[in-house]
């Protein structure tokens, strides 16, 4: 890392109303993410995914922020509402459909099995700063 390179990156998506017009925004490139991809998704009421998909390497976590819908994984249909969180393994064949309230959710994907530790081992208290 260059000595003048910042240790953070930031962006603002704008309002969720503006997000509704775009439908899906991936933020990985904009933020320079190296270990996962994160997308914000807004699907209008009644929206039905035009395809099912699975992944070669990545697991996905769907986090519902508002609205309702279903996530179909293999032969199961999981109801979604605000606060629903679902992890889908790479080989899970999935499709997400919005309900009558539309659906706003985050999807985080990362390579399955790539996390070998987390905060308990990785977080280090920084020296106290003065002032
Ligand atoms: Zn996917």
């Amino acid at each position: 890392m260059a000595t003048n390179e910042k240790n953070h990156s930031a962006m603002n998506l704008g309002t969720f109303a503006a997000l509704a017009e775009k439908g899906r925004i991936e933020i990985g490139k904009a933020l320079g993410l190296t270990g996962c991809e994160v997308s914000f998704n807004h699907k209008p009421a009644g929206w039905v995914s035009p395809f099912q998909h699975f992944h070669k390497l990545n697991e996905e976590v769907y986090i519902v922020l508002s609205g309702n819908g279903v996530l179909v994984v293999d032969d199961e249909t999981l109801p979604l509402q605000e606060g629903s969180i679902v992890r889908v393994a790479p080989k899970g064949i999935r499709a997400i459909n919005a309900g009558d309230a539309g659906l706003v959710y985050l999807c985080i994907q990362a390579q399955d099995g790539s996390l070998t530790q987390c905060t308990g081992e990785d977080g280090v208290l920084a020296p106290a700063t003065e002032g």
Side-chain angles (χ1 to χ4, degrees):
M1 178 184 296
T3 55
N4 63 349
E5 189 173 329
K6 291 184 178 182
N7 285 316
H8 73 276
S9 52
M11 66 185 294
N12 187 309
L13 291 174
T15 65
F16 283 167
L19 173 61
E21 295 174 14
K22 296 180 180 177
R24 174 182 170 88
I25 299 173
E26 293 180 346
I27 65 171
K29 274 189 187 165
L31 288 181
L33 299 181
T34 64
C36 66
E37 175 61 273
V38 179
S39 63
F40 282 79
N41 300 270
H42 184 292
K43 304 303 180 191
W47 182 87
V48 176
S49 177
F51 57 85
Q52 297 177 310
H53 77 286
F54 65 95
H55 283 259
K56 291 182 271 187
L57 299 175
N58 294 348
E59 65 183 1
E60 290 183 316
V61 178
Y62 295 85
I63 303 171
V64 177
L65 302 176
S66 67
N68 61 8
V70 295
L71 180 64
V72 180
V73 182
D74 300 324
D75 59 355
E76 286 191 57
T77 300
L78 307 169
L80 301 174
Q81 62 186 3
E82 182 176 327
S84 296
I85 302 174
V86 181
R87 180 254 179 190
V88 182
K91 66 181 182 182
I93 297 175
R94 73 212 66 178
I96 195 165
N97 302 325
D100 60 5
L103 195 58
V104 178
Y105 64 96
L106 301 174
C107 182
I108 301 170
Q109 61 176 289
Q111 186 168 335
D112 190 44
S114 64
L115 184 65
T116 58
Q117 46 70 44
C118 63
T119 307
E121 294 79 31
D122 194 54
V124 179
L125 293 177
T129 55
E130 294 184 26

